[in-house]
Amino acid sequence: MALLEIRSLSKYFGGLAAVSELDMDVSESEILGLIGPNGAGKTSVFNLISGFFPVTRGEVRFKGEAINHLKPHERAKRGIGRTFQQSVLFMGSSVFENVFTGFHMSYKTGLLQQFLHTGAARQEESAVKLETLEILDFMGMAHLNEEVAANLSHGHQRILSICVALASNPRLLLLDEPVTGMNRAETSNTIELIRQLRERGRTIVLVEHDMKAVMGLCDRIVVLNYGKKIAEGLPDEIKKNKEVIGAYLGKEGA
């Protein structure tokens, strides 16, 4: 059974189809690339998977369970994490505080216990602080834990966004343009981090325009154009696909 199953997924805004009759599976521990021209519907697919858009038609199943009816925070609790094209960081807060805040959905102690600062609440807070530092260390951000997010480079802000997503301990991680705007060294570093996340048991779907990164990182690739899937296959197959070349790679430059 696939970890994520998408069947006949469609999303309409008025009479315009952002996503149309999409079928797609994502296997456990796979890195799947979702590519296509601007406006092809890639981020809309992420919004449908994570619950930020309601589905017009079709079904999303995660771990064998239909999740169309679940709200975004409910899907996150079940193990779906994501980043966004635009930063959603708390820019006035430190790197540590951003990731620490990302754990809020996993707290087992209630608000009253936290307010009263009970022993259980203090113990959980200490454990969360340790987990926050572990994430930052693994992602190479520990030395910046006291830095204000607004002062970070673009590359470090993108990595911090992934750190925040990891705070929910996702089984499926949706990365929206994780290396866009990075220089070569930052891109190489981020690609290696994504590989290590997969080695630690994460399943990853990424939207990205850097074709060199996509072709070198992804196990399989799905190509969208005008909301419809036009190709699916291994990176080498996608490179040679004439319809993909005409719709995307020929214009963008692979």
Side-chain angles (χ1 to χ4, degrees):
M1 183 186 300
L3 179 64
L4 179 72
E5 302 168 87
I6 291 174
R7 295 292 178 268
S8 301
L9 189 65
S10 299
K11 177 61 182 177
Y12 287 87
F13 295 99
L16 178 65
V19 181
S20 180
E21 300 296 328
L22 176 64
D23 290 326
M24 186 176 82
D25 287 345
V26 183
S27 301
E28 191 84 46
S29 297
E30 181 177 33
I31 300 178
L32 178 75
L34 187 61
I35 69 171
N38 289 329
K42 307 180 296 295
T43 296
S44 292
V45 172
F46 273 16
N47 286 332
L48 293 167
I49 295 170
S50 55
F52 287 88
F53 285 171
V55 171
T56 301
R57 186 169 61 249
E59 185 174 61
V60 179
R61 299 183 68 85
F62 182 61
K63 295 187 288 187
E65 175 191 7
I67 61 171
N68 283 22
H69 62 291
L70 297 180
K71 296 179 180 178
H73 72 274
E74 293 172 323
R75 300 187 196 201
K77 284 184 177 180
R78 279 166 170 76
I80 299 177
R82 70 168 294 183
T83 64
F84 296 82
Q85 284 183 17
Q86 303 298 323
S87 176
V88 291
L89 300 172
F90 295 107
M91 288 300 184
S93 299
S94 70
V95 166
F96 180 90
E97 289 166 340
N98 269 275
V99 181
F100 183 80
T101 302
F103 281 92
H104 72 280
M105 284 189 299
S106 62
Y107 270 76
K108 295 180 176 61
T109 53
L111 289 174
L112 181 59
Q113 289 174 290
Q114 294 171 33
F115 177 76
L116 295 175
H117 213 51
T118 64
R122 291 196 303 272
Q123 185 176 7
E124 183 169 43
E125 182 177 323
S126 296
V128 170
K129 286 180 177 179
L130 181 60
E131 288 184 68
T132 297
L133 291 173
E134 288 175 349
I135 289 173
L136 291 172
D137 183 59
F138 173 72
M139 296 295 286
M141 295 282 286
H143 65 295
L144 296 169
N145 70 320
E146 295 182 359
E147 187 65 69
V148 174
N151 294 338
L152 297 176
S153 68
H154 171 76
H156 280 139
Q157 286 184 0
R158 300 304 289 168
I159 293 174
L160 179 56
S161 294
I162 299 175
C163 292
V164 174
L166 290 174
S168 66
N169 193 28
R171 190 165 165 186
L172 173 66
L173 187 57
L174 309 175
L175 301 179
D176 202 344
E177 300 189 4
V179 303
T180 295
M182 290 186 179
N183 61 39
R184 186 172 299 179
E186 291 171 333
T187 297
S188 178
N189 176 61
T190 304
I191 287 173
E192 182 55 33
L193 287 172
I194 293 171
R195 287 197 179 103
Q196 291 180 32
L197 287 172
R198 188 254 291 277
E199 290 173 7
R200 290 195 169 198
R202 313 286 181 189
T203 299
I204 296 164
V205 182
L206 64 90
V207 166
E208 183 53 60
H209 286 287
D210 185 328
M211 286 299 99
K212 186 175 181 180
V214 170
M215 295 297 173
L217 179 62
C218 297
D219 302 307
R220 287 190 306 121
I221 297 171
V222 171
V223 187
L224 299 182
N225 194 27
Y226 295 110
K228 295 183 178 181
K229 182 170 73 174
I230 62 171
E232 179 176 358
L234 302 175
D236 284 344
E237 295 171 337
I238 296 300
K239 284 180 182 179
K240 300 171 185 176
N241 186 296
K242 292 182 179 180
E243 189 173 2
V244 175
I245 293 170
Y248 184 49
L249 295 182
K251 296 177 182 178
E252 301 287 336

